[in-house]
Amino acid sequence: MPNHLSGETSPYLLQHVENPVDWYPWGDEALTLARTGNKPILLSIGYSACHWCHVMAHESFEDAEVATAMNQHFINIKVDREERPDLDQIYQTALHMLTQRHGGWPLTLFLTPDQKPFFGGTYFPKAPRHGLPGFLDLLPRVAEAYYARGEEIERQSASLLRSFANMLPSASLATPAFSEQPLDQALTELEDRFDSVNGGFGDVPKFLHPTELEFCVRRYFATGNAETLHMVVHTLKKMAEGGIYDQLGGGFCRYSTDQHWSIPHFEKMLYDNGPLLRLYTDAWLATEDPLFKRVVEETAEWVMREMQPSVSASTDMRGGGGYYSTLDADSEEEEGKFYVWDRAQIAQILPPEEYAVVAPYYGLLRTPNFEQKHWNLEITQPLAEAAVAIGIQHEEAQQKLASARRKLFIERELRVHPGRDEKILTSWNGLMIKGMARAGRVFERGDWVQSAALAVDFIRSTLWKNNRLLATCKDGKAHLNAYLDDYAFLLDGLLELMQAEFRQVDLDFAVALADVLLEQFEDKQAGGFFFTSHDHERLIHRPKPGLDNATPSGNGVAAYALQRLGHLLGEFRYLQAAERALGLFYPTLSRYASACCSLLVTLEQSLAPPQIVILRGQAPALTEWKKALGCGSPYTLVFAVPLELLGLPPGLNKPAARDNTVNAWVCQGVKCLPEISDLQELLRVCEIQGKIGSSIING
């Protein structure tokens, strides 16, 4: 008999629909049953691409004996952390409070009927193993503790709720004086944590940290500091050459299990690859390293090939142009099976002259690097060295490598692919829209820009209802109130897309999103933005996140995007809301600077408002001027607004040139220079203005 998950859209929840566990989705039915029956809740949070979630499901949730114990003692609730990041934030934090250990997935928490956690962990094996208690033994003991130790649990719950309340940043009586001190402090902290050998920050497991690296890129463009650029370039090279990058198909996995970026946890997440597209693009602007361009091209191709329905298929409403969420770590119930190789298999596929290049280049001459029997491809020898070793020219080695990669990719495509979670998440789409639009603009790839525009159009048509966003959509069914990240990331993505291709409908959408941010998420008294809207379901805590995590802080991105939109439109409501958020979190910036890089970018932009260039004219002259300006600095925004657009806000509604060519307006914040009708004069002014902006940032 199926449980209560059959009506859900989440692929993760549907993976558990045939479990003997009597699962419920989070909602009134399950919560009411727990209250009326005075029965504790077993809350299990995971996601469809999670390897250890699969392991616990196979060991315990598919086991009749375990399911009997779960059904006897608990109301069992299954949650997709990607659909319900509000619940995941709260209960990951609660687990840390209860155990002083970091959380993860699967998250396994036991709650009172009023949703307060009293015991938990992450993965539990069915029987005791590796120092972990057995889940089957644990279940009756936890249930017994709930009934026998009620007063102690109540005291613990009261303390936990006080701790939650104390986590919210408190507004200071006086507005702090902003300075560049937190910017310098963050760089110092990142330099201290930088792995000078392998790149990246911190120890194993090594995560990608795109927010911190993007902050470093911006500081390089502002200051010209070579050491800051080195941290970025060294890290991006090591990642691109490592096994964390799919050497055949493009795209990055979620993290590396070793310090060398060799062996990843093989799941691929949309939320990593969107920011990395932008990061590698900006690193290419700083260095023109062909490796970075190749990574952008291959990752963008992977996104369009595997994470977005084709234009011809978009009419079936499965994705409709939106980006899918994740690719699983497993295929055929084995982690990494789709990606790893046997050396003999590669030697059989490739002709000897191509194998002679591939073997040293991808590390096949070394011992196996995956489970001591397979090879996960990584670049272990520069191609130029491999060419010299086998006595061929570098250009010939490049041709043979390209031919070999094509053959291996075609062969790999015949394998059973990892599962794909095809739900469309608004927030993660916002991150990818920004990445694809930025890469498309810099590399002049209209197909990438079109990909981003298709995703925006899908969100506007399917996930924007009654002037409010919804968080998720699967097979045309959209639901769940959107969160701060949905509005902030999408607004930020729209501002990037409008620079690649200006569409008035996108500007109107951006203004609508900004207005909802102020109306439904802003704390008017203290400043900043709550993670959930004012009319959201009441939970045991309402976070106001400022620290970056695997994705940027919603407060940081919201304030940054509102600042940019406020300067573009001359809308002081947006600027003031961003300033209030920055003021609220400024003490946090001063204490934990490198943990708040998205808020630091907002601070940087507050100290030196962005240079905005508005072009009005007719094609092809408009395109020519826009191309001449280029995309050299993240501090300059360029909007090429066609003359035929009418009803624009005053900041964009500039008059046409007398000869119907192009006019340009250059603004720093809300201060604008007189119109410019000569392209060379515009280029000279933009260079001067850019230097002025950098000097302001650096005191």
Side-chain angles (χ1 to χ4, degrees):
M1 290 290 292
N3 47 44
H4 304 272
L5 302 179
S6 58
E8 296 300 303
T9 61
S10 160
Y12 175 65
L13 298 189
L14 293 175
Q15 286 174 358
H16 295 82
V17 74
E18 297 294 340
N19 290 171
V21 178
D22 193 21
W23 291 117
Y24 288 84
W26 182 278
D28 288 340
E29 183 180 7
L31 298 175
T32 300
L33 276 174
R35 287 193 301 270
T36 56
N38 187 29
K39 205 169 183 181
I41 295 168
L42 193 164
L43 176 66
S44 175
I45 302 180
Y47 58 103
S48 67
C50 167
H51 171 70
W52 285 103
C53 300
H54 299 329
V55 173
M56 190 166 179
H58 295 324
E59 289 181 346
S60 294
F61 304 149
E62 296 172 6
D63 183 89
E65 187 180 13
V66 174
T68 298
M70 290 174 66
N71 297 338
Q72 177 183 348
H73 297 296
F74 303 98
I75 299 297
N76 302 293
I77 298 180
K78 177 62 75 173
V79 166
D80 183 340
R81 68 105 171 177
E82 296 168 358
E83 285 194 341
R84 293 300 304 261
D86 53 340
L87 296 172
D88 188 54
Q89 276 190 48
I90 290 170
Y91 291 112
Q92 293 283 357
T93 304
L95 179 68
H96 180 67
M97 291 176 179
L98 291 171
T99 66
Q100 299 305 303
R101 295 179 182 176
H102 294 296
W105 301 279
L107 179 65
T108 309
L109 273 181
F110 298 90
L111 319 180
T112 64
D114 55 357
Q115 307 173 30
K116 297 168 187 170
F118 63 92
F119 181 78
T122 52
Y123 161 76
F124 290 105
K126 178 185 175 182
R129 190 169 68 243
H130 304 309
L132 294 171
F135 198 50
L136 188 58
D137 298 335
L138 192 65
L139 293 169
R141 290 163 48 202
V142 172
E144 181 183 359
Y146 168 73
Y147 294 109
R149 299 163 64 180
E151 291 184 5
E152 181 182 342
I153 288 172
E154 277 301 311
R155 287 194 299 271
Q156 176 182 273
S157 296
S159 174
L160 185 138
L161 292 181
R162 287 193 297 271
S163 297
F164 270 129
N166 292 334
M167 290 178 63
L168 291 173
S170 55
S172 57
L173 296 177
T175 303
F178 300 154
S179 76
E180 65 274 8
Q181 183 274 329
L183 305 176
D184 298 336
Q185 179 184 333
L187 277 183
T188 300
E189 293 173 2
L190 290 171
E191 287 167 359
D192 290 342
R193 290 166 45 208
F194 178 61
D195 181 344
S196 60
V197 176
N198 302 295
F201 304 106
D203 298 321
V204 175
K206 295 195 78 129
F207 286 88
L208 303 168
H209 293 282
T211 306
E212 291 93 325
L213 292 168
E214 183 178 350
F215 169 72
C216 291
V217 167
R218 289 180 62 92
R219 296 310 296 151
Y220 165 74
F221 277 109
T223 66
N225 185 308
E227 179 56 33
T228 302
L229 182 62
H230 169 71
M231 288 196 295
V232 177
V233 169
H234 186 61
T235 299
L236 295 186
K237 281 186 175 180
K238 290 293 186 180
M239 286 166 44
E241 293 171 350
I244 196 170
Y245 180 67
D246 183 349
Q247 299 293 336
L248 298 181
F252 288 85
C253 299
R254 183 167 162 250
Y255 67 83
S256 175
T257 62
D258 62 275
Q259 61 184 349
H260 308 292
W261 307 103
S262 296
I263 305 301
H265 196 50
F266 285 91
E267 64 207 49
K268 287 184 181 179
M269 319 297 287
L270 192 72
Y271 69 69
D272 287 320
N273 286 280
L276 286 172
L277 268 174
R278 176 180 171 85
L279 181 58
Y280 273 91
T281 296
D282 286 347
W284 179 84
L285 283 170
T287 65
E288 296 191 356
D289 188 322
L291 172 64
F292 297 162
K293 182 179 182 181
R294 177 171 69 82
V295 166
V296 172
E297 291 171 341
E298 292 172 358
T299 300
E301 183 180 346
W302 165 73
V303 169
M304 296 175 65
R305 182 183 69 242
E306 297 190 33
M307 304 304 285
Q308 186 178 36
S310 65
V311 176
S312 60
S314 65
T315 54
D316 69 1
M317 293 305 292
R318 287 172 57 80
Y323 298 111
Y324 300 137
S325 297
T326 62
L327 293 183
D328 208 320
D330 299 3
S331 57
E332 301 182 83
E333 299 187 1
E334 291 184 29
E335 184 179 13
K337 185 174 182 179
F338 178 76
Y339 299 99
V340 300
W341 294 85
D342 294 328
R343 183 165 56 192
Q345 183 185 17
I346 293 179
Q348 186 177 10
I349 295 167
L350 301 179
E353 62 273 15
E354 291 182 3
Y355 181 82
V357 174
V358 163
Y361 184 70
Y362 281 139
L364 300 177
L365 302 182
R366 301 183 177 188
T367 57
N369 62 2
F370 184 69
E371 296 182 348
Q372 301 181 335
K373 57 183 178 180
H374 300 298
W375 281 263
N376 181 48
L377 301 185
E378 57 178 327
I379 299 173
T380 60
Q381 183 181 40
L383 186 60
E385 290 184 12
V388 170
I390 60 177
I392 64 174
Q393 296 296 315
H394 184 248
E395 293 75 13
E396 185 180 353
Q398 286 179 315
Q399 294 169 0
K400 293 186 185 304
L401 175 63
S403 174
R405 291 178 73 232
R406 285 193 295 271
K407 292 183 176 75
L408 293 175
F409 177 78
I410 291 170
E411 180 69 24
R412 196 180 75 173
E413 284 294 284
L414 301 176
R415 298 177 178 178
V416 176
H417 282 239
R420 180 172 61 193
D421 189 322
E422 295 188 354
K423 65 177 179 291
I424 312 295
L425 295 170
T426 302
S427 59
W428 296 6
N429 269 249
L431 295 173
M432 184 55 73
I433 287 162
K434 182 175 183 178
M436 290 292 280
R438 175 67 170 168
R441 181 159 70 103
V442 169
F443 291 107
E444 300 180 24
R445 288 292 299 266
D447 53 340
W448 300 352
V449 175
Q450 178 65 12
S451 168
L454 281 171
V456 168
D457 292 343
F458 174 77
I459 291 171
R460 186 167 41 233
S461 63
T462 308
L463 287 145
W464 178 247
K465 301 295 183 184
N466 301 316
N467 292 317
R468 295 288 293 276
L469 277 176
L470 297 171
T472 181
C473 178
K474 176 72 166 60
D475 296 331
K477 180 182 177 182
H479 66 125
L480 298 177
N481 289 342
Y483 310 99
L484 171 62
D485 290 359
D486 296 298
Y487 286 90
F489 296 174
L490 182 57
L491 174 59
D492 193 32
L494 284 169
L495 286 166
E496 192 67 57
L497 178 60
M498 284 190 286
Q499 295 179 75
E501 177 190 8
F502 191 91
R503 303 188 301 176
Q504 189 164 354
V505 66
D506 292 336
L507 176 63
D508 296 340
F509 197 16
V511 170
L513 294 173
D515 288 344
V516 178
L517 272 173
L518 268 58
E519 293 164 6
Q520 284 291 333
F521 291 87
E522 190 188 13
D523 184 339
K524 301 292 186 184
Q525 284 71 43
F529 301 89
F530 291 105
F531 187 73
T532 53
S533 60
H534 298 325
D535 57 0
H536 194 76
E537 170 191 2
R538 187 179 178 88
L539 302 171
I540 63 170
H541 176 54
R542 192 181 181 199
K544 195 188 285 185
L547 304 181
D548 297 315
N549 208 305
T551 55
S553 152
N555 268 278
V557 176
Y560 174 75
L562 286 169
Q563 272 185 343
R564 295 197 139 194
L565 187 62
H567 286 304
L568 177 65
L569 303 181
E571 179 54 77
F572 286 97
R573 291 185 304 127
Y574 303 155
L575 296 172
Q576 289 164 352
E579 198 84 352
R580 285 193 293 270
L582 196 55
L584 175 69
F585 286 103
Y586 196 75
T588 305
L589 292 183
S590 302
R591 291 195 297 271
Y592 312 108
S594 63
C596 307
C597 284
S598 20
L599 278 164
L600 288 178
V601 171
T602 311
L603 171 64
E604 183 184 65
Q605 192 169 248
S606 179
L607 295 172
Q611 177 179 264
I612 299 176
V613 181
I614 299 167
L615 307 175
R616 288 301 305 268
Q618 294 179 333
L622 190 65
T623 303
E624 178 190 346
W625 281 46
K626 178 183 171 184
K627 184 176 180 179
L629 280 173
C631 312
S633 169
Y635 295 102
T636 297
L637 289 78
V638 179
F639 297 91
V641 185
L643 277 179
E644 59 267 22
L645 296 184
L646 304 174
L648 294 166
L652 290 172
N653 194 21
K654 306 296 187 181
R658 293 186 182 90
D659 56 359
N660 288 326
T661 55
V662 179
N663 269 359
W665 285 260
V666 179
C667 305
Q668 194 88 32
V670 294
K671 297 180 180 179
C672 297
L673 299 176
E675 66 186 78
I676 299 170
S677 55
D678 179 77
L679 178 56
Q680 296 306 313
E681 174 67 8
L682 174 63
L683 296 175
R684 187 187 69 81
V685 167
C686 285
E687 182 180 2
I688 293 172
Q689 290 292 101
K691 291 177 180 177
I692 291 172
S694 295
S695 67
I696 293 173
I697 293 172
N698 295 290

